[in-house]
Amino acid sequence: MKFFIDTANLKDIQEAQDFGVLDGVTTNPTLMAKEGISGDDHVQKHYLDICAIVDGDVSAEVIATDYAGMIYEGEELASLNTKIVVKVPMTKDGIRAIKYFSKKGIKTNCTLVFSAGQALLAAKAGATYVSPFIGRLDDISVDGLGLINEIREIYDNYGFSTQILAASVRNSSHILGCAKIGADVITSPLSAILSLLKHPLTDSGLAQFLADHKRVADQNN
Protein backbone atom coordinates (compact mmCIF):
# COMPACT_ATOMS: atom_id res chain seq x y z
CA MET A 1 0.00 0.00 0.00
CA LYS A 2 1.24 3.47 -0.89
CA PHE A 3 1.42 6.25 1.69
CA PHE A 4 0.52 9.75 0.50
CA ILE A 5 0.50 12.82 2.73
CA ASP A 6 -2.50 15.12 2.51
CA THR A 7 -1.09 18.62 2.90
CA ALA A 8 0.40 21.61 1.12
CA ASN A 9 2.86 22.30 3.96
CA LEU A 10 6.38 21.95 2.57
CA LYS A 11 7.90 21.30 6.01
CA ASP A 12 5.56 18.37 6.65
CA ILE A 13 6.15 17.02 3.14
CA GLN A 14 9.92 17.18 3.62
CA GLU A 15 9.64 15.45 7.01
CA ALA A 16 7.51 12.69 5.50
CA GLN A 17 9.97 12.30 2.62
CA ASP A 18 12.90 12.09 5.04
CA PHE A 19 11.00 9.49 7.08
CA GLY A 20 11.46 7.14 4.13
CA VAL A 21 7.95 5.81 3.44
CA LEU A 22 6.36 8.63 1.43
CA ASP A 23 4.97 7.69 -2.00
CA GLY A 24 3.17 10.91 -2.98
CA VAL A 25 1.18 13.98 -2.00
CA THR A 26 -2.44 15.07 -2.29
CA THR A 27 -3.56 18.67 -2.05
CA ASN A 28 -6.75 20.65 -2.51
CA PRO A 29 -7.79 24.33 -2.54
CA THR A 30 -8.50 24.26 1.21
CA LEU A 31 -5.01 22.98 2.00
CA MET A 32 -3.47 25.59 -0.30
CA ALA A 33 -5.48 28.33 1.40
CA LYS A 34 -4.32 27.05 4.80
CA GLU A 35 -0.74 27.75 3.71
CA GLY A 36 -1.70 31.20 2.40
CA ILE A 37 -1.07 30.21 -1.23
CA SER A 38 -3.25 32.05 -3.75
CA GLY A 39 -3.02 33.30 -7.32
CA ASP A 40 -2.22 31.05 -10.30
CA ASP A 41 1.50 31.85 -10.38
CA HIS A 42 1.99 31.21 -6.65
CA VAL A 43 -0.08 28.04 -6.72
CA GLN A 44 1.82 26.63 -9.68
CA LYS A 45 5.17 27.47 -8.09
CA HIS A 46 4.05 25.72 -4.91
CA TYR A 47 3.20 22.60 -6.87
CA LEU A 48 6.65 22.68 -8.43
CA ASP A 49 8.20 23.05 -4.96
CA ILE A 50 6.28 19.96 -3.83
CA CYS A 51 7.37 18.01 -6.91
CA ALA A 52 10.97 18.89 -6.13
CA ILE A 53 10.66 17.18 -2.72
CA VAL A 54 8.77 13.97 -3.48
CA ASP A 55 9.50 11.12 -5.86
CA GLY A 56 5.89 10.08 -6.52
CA ASP A 57 2.61 11.51 -7.74
CA VAL A 58 1.32 14.92 -6.64
CA SER A 59 -2.43 15.53 -6.93
CA ALA A 60 -3.26 19.10 -8.00
CA GLU A 61 -6.94 20.01 -8.02
CA VAL A 62 -8.78 22.04 -10.64
CA ILE A 63 -10.93 24.93 -9.42
CA ALA A 64 -13.27 25.04 -12.41
CA THR A 65 -16.57 23.16 -12.20
CA ASP A 66 -17.44 23.22 -15.91
CA TYR A 67 -16.02 20.83 -18.50
CA ALA A 68 -14.13 23.40 -20.59
CA GLY A 69 -12.64 25.01 -17.51
CA MET A 70 -11.51 21.67 -16.10
CA ILE A 71 -9.81 20.77 -19.37
CA TYR A 72 -8.01 24.12 -19.55
CA GLU A 73 -6.83 24.05 -15.94
CA GLY A 74 -6.01 20.34 -16.00
CA GLU A 75 -3.81 20.57 -19.08
CA GLU A 76 -2.02 23.56 -17.58
CA LEU A 77 -1.39 21.70 -14.32
CA ALA A 78 -0.25 18.53 -16.08
CA SER A 79 2.26 20.53 -18.12
CA LEU A 80 4.05 21.68 -14.96
CA ASN A 81 5.65 18.33 -14.13
CA THR A 82 5.22 14.66 -15.02
CA LYS A 83 4.47 13.92 -11.35
CA ILE A 84 1.29 16.00 -11.42
CA VAL A 85 -2.01 14.13 -11.21
CA VAL A 86 -5.02 16.26 -12.15
CA LYS A 87 -7.59 16.11 -9.35
CA VAL A 88 -11.16 16.35 -10.66
CA PRO A 89 -14.43 16.41 -8.68
CA MET A 90 -17.04 13.66 -8.95
CA THR A 91 -19.56 15.44 -11.16
CA LYS A 92 -20.99 14.81 -14.62
CA ASP A 93 -18.54 17.28 -16.16
CA GLY A 94 -15.79 15.82 -13.98
CA ILE A 95 -16.36 12.34 -15.40
CA ARG A 96 -16.30 13.76 -18.93
CA ALA A 97 -13.03 15.52 -18.13
CA ILE A 98 -11.50 12.35 -16.70
CA LYS A 99 -12.36 10.49 -19.91
CA TYR A 100 -10.72 13.27 -21.93
CA PHE A 101 -7.58 13.26 -19.79
CA SER A 102 -7.41 9.47 -19.90
CA LYS A 103 -7.34 9.51 -23.69
CA LYS A 104 -4.59 12.15 -23.55
CA GLY A 105 -2.47 10.05 -21.17
CA ILE A 106 -2.88 12.57 -18.33
CA LYS A 107 -3.13 11.01 -14.85
CA THR A 108 -6.27 11.85 -12.86
CA ASN A 109 -7.61 11.59 -9.32
CA CYS A 110 -11.41 11.59 -9.01
CA THR A 111 -12.14 13.28 -5.69
CA LEU A 112 -15.14 13.73 -3.38
CA VAL A 113 -16.32 10.16 -3.88
CA PHE A 114 -18.84 8.90 -1.33
CA SER A 115 -20.48 5.87 -2.97
CA ALA A 116 -19.55 2.70 -4.83
CA GLY A 117 -21.59 3.89 -7.82
CA GLN A 118 -19.49 7.03 -8.09
CA ALA A 119 -16.30 4.95 -7.87
CA LEU A 120 -17.59 2.68 -10.64
CA LEU A 121 -18.19 5.65 -12.95
CA ALA A 122 -14.70 7.03 -12.22
CA ALA A 123 -13.12 3.70 -13.13
CA LYS A 124 -15.19 3.42 -16.30
CA ALA A 125 -13.95 6.88 -17.33
CA GLY A 126 -10.35 5.78 -16.83
CA ALA A 127 -9.38 7.58 -13.61
CA THR A 128 -5.89 6.78 -12.36
CA TYR A 129 -7.04 7.16 -8.76
CA VAL A 130 -10.42 7.34 -7.06
CA SER A 131 -10.63 9.09 -3.68
CA PRO A 132 -13.38 7.86 -1.33
CA PHE A 133 -13.57 10.14 1.74
CA ILE A 134 -13.88 7.65 4.60
CA GLY A 135 -13.51 10.07 7.52
CA ARG A 136 -16.30 12.32 6.29
CA LEU A 137 -18.57 9.28 5.95
CA ASP A 138 -17.75 8.24 9.51
CA ASP A 139 -18.75 11.77 10.59
CA ILE A 140 -22.31 11.10 9.45
CA SER A 141 -22.40 7.58 10.92
CA VAL A 142 -21.77 5.80 7.62
CA ASP A 143 -19.10 3.08 7.52
CA GLY A 144 -16.22 4.59 5.55
CA LEU A 145 -14.18 1.40 5.53
CA GLY A 146 -17.25 -0.45 4.31
CA LEU A 147 -17.19 1.75 1.21
CA ILE A 148 -13.54 0.86 0.58
CA ASN A 149 -14.50 -2.80 0.80
CA GLU A 150 -17.35 -2.35 -1.72
CA ILE A 151 -15.11 -0.54 -4.20
CA ARG A 152 -12.36 -3.16 -3.84
CA GLU A 153 -14.84 -5.94 -4.62
CA ILE A 154 -16.23 -4.14 -7.69
CA TYR A 155 -12.80 -3.26 -9.07
CA ASP A 156 -11.54 -6.80 -8.55
CA ASN A 157 -14.64 -8.24 -10.25
CA TYR A 158 -13.87 -6.41 -13.48
CA GLY A 159 -10.12 -5.88 -13.35
CA PHE A 160 -10.27 -2.08 -13.26
CA SER A 161 -6.80 -0.53 -13.08
CA THR A 162 -8.03 2.54 -11.16
CA GLN A 163 -6.29 2.69 -7.80
CA ILE A 164 -8.33 3.13 -4.61
CA LEU A 165 -6.88 6.14 -2.82
CA ALA A 166 -8.53 6.26 0.61
CA ALA A 167 -8.89 9.93 1.58
CA SER A 168 -10.02 11.75 4.71
CA VAL A 169 -7.92 9.20 6.63
CA ARG A 170 -7.52 10.48 10.17
CA ASN A 171 -5.88 7.85 12.36
CA SER A 172 -3.93 4.60 12.49
CA SER A 173 -7.15 2.54 12.67
CA HIS A 174 -8.23 3.96 9.32
CA ILE A 175 -4.82 3.14 7.83
CA LEU A 176 -4.79 -0.43 9.11
CA GLY A 177 -8.39 -0.99 8.06
CA CYS A 178 -7.57 0.15 4.53
CA ALA A 179 -4.50 -2.11 4.47
CA LYS A 180 -6.57 -5.15 5.52
CA ILE A 181 -9.17 -4.47 2.83
CA GLY A 182 -6.58 -3.85 0.14
CA ALA A 183 -6.77 -0.14 -0.64
CA ASP A 184 -3.98 0.78 -3.03
CA VAL A 185 -3.18 4.11 -1.37
CA ILE A 186 -4.04 6.06 1.76
CA THR A 187 -3.61 9.80 2.09
CA SER A 188 -3.53 11.33 5.55
CA PRO A 189 -1.88 13.95 7.72
CA LEU A 190 1.68 13.11 8.72
CA SER A 191 0.50 12.63 12.31
CA ALA A 192 -1.65 9.63 11.34
CA ILE A 193 1.27 7.92 9.60
CA LEU A 194 3.61 8.57 12.53
CA SER A 195 1.01 7.15 14.93
CA LEU A 196 1.76 3.71 13.45
CA LEU A 197 5.09 3.88 15.26
CA LYS A 198 3.52 3.96 18.70
CA HIS A 199 3.11 1.00 21.05
CA PRO A 200 3.59 1.08 24.83
CA LEU A 201 5.51 -2.22 24.85
CA THR A 202 7.99 -0.80 22.33
CA ASP A 203 8.56 2.19 24.61
CA SER A 204 8.90 0.12 27.77
CA GLY A 205 11.08 -2.47 26.05
CA LEU A 206 13.47 0.15 24.74
CA ALA A 207 13.62 1.83 28.16
CA GLN A 208 14.51 -1.55 29.73
CA PHE A 209 17.22 -2.27 27.15
CA LEU A 210 18.82 1.13 27.73
CA ALA A 211 18.59 0.79 31.52
CA ASP A 212 20.22 -2.65 31.44
CA HIS A 213 22.97 -1.39 29.15
CA LYS A 214 23.67 1.56 31.46
CA ARG A 215 23.68 -0.67 34.55
CA VAL A 216 26.28 -3.05 33.11
CA ALA A 217 28.35 -0.18 31.73
CA ASP A 218 28.37 1.51 35.15
CA GLN A 219 29.46 -1.73 36.84
CA ASN A 220 32.42 -2.05 34.45
CA ASN A 221 33.64 1.51 35.05
Side-chain angles (χ1 to χ4, degrees):
M1 186 172 69
K2 298 176 185 176
F3 281 14
F4 286 10
I5 185 174
D6 192 37
T7 186
N9 183 282
L10 297 180
K11 182 180 177 182
D12 283 354
I13 293 169
Q14 186 65 63
E15 182 179 350
Q17 176 69 18
D18 293 343
F19 186 43
V21 299
L22 185 66
D23 298 296
V25 173
T26 57
T27 64
N28 58 48
T30 298
L31 293 172
M32 282 290 190
K34 186 177 179 181
E35 299 304 316
I37 309 298
S38 63
D40 289 347
D41 291 344
H42 290 102
V43 168
Q44 291 181 12
K45 181 183 182 303
H46 202 74
Y47 282 135
L48 289 173
D49 289 341
I50 293 172
C51 289
I53 296 173
V54 302
D55 298 323
D57 287 344
V58 176
S59 285
E61 188 163 346
V62 298
I63 304 298
T65 58
D66 65 291
Y67 175 75
M70 289 179 189
I71 299 305
Y72 176 81
E73 289 182 25
E75 289 186 329
E76 189 171 36
L77 288 169
S79 70
L80 294 175
N81 191 288
T82 57
K83 298 175 185 177
I84 292 289
V85 177
V86 179
K87 200 172 183 182
V88 179
M90 167 46 71
T91 63
K92 185 176 181 180
D93 279 356
I95 291 296
R96 289 180 62 208
I98 287 169
K99 185 65 176 181
Y100 172 88
F101 290 133
S102 177
K103 289 181 177 179
K104 289 279 189 175
I106 294 173
K107 293 176 289 186
T108 55
N109 177 356
C110 186
T111 190
L112 293 171
V113 168
F114 294 96
S115 75
Q118 290 177 327
L120 177 57
L121 287 174
K124 287 285 290 180
T128 311
Y129 299 100
V130 62
S131 290
F133 279 48
I134 63 175
R136 294 194 192 184
L137 284 172
D138 287 353
D139 289 344
I140 60 169
S141 300
V142 176
D143 183 10
L145 288 173
L147 175 58
I148 300 297
N149 195 52
E150 287 181 24
I151 297 171
R152 181 76 281 160
E153 182 179 359
I154 291 169
Y155 283 12
D156 289 349
N157 280 347
Y158 298 102
F160 286 122
S161 61
T162 300
Q163 297 180 54
I164 303 171
L165 194 166
S168 191
V169 167
R170 297 174 178 168
N171 51 55
S172 58
S173 293
H174 276 160
I175 296 174
L176 293 174
C178 287
K180 290 175 183 177
I181 293 166
D184 301 287
V185 192
I186 62 95
T187 187
S188 73
L190 177 59
S191 59
I193 296 172
L194 293 178
S195 71
L196 295 170
L197 290 166
K198 302 299 182 182
H199 195 285
L201 292 180
T202 300
D203 296 338
S204 62
L206 180 58
Q208 184 64 55
F209 293 157
L210 294 174
D212 290 343
H213 172 77
K214 184 177 186 304
R215 176 176 51 79
V216 173
D218 290 344
Q219 289 174 354
N220 292 332
N221 286 336

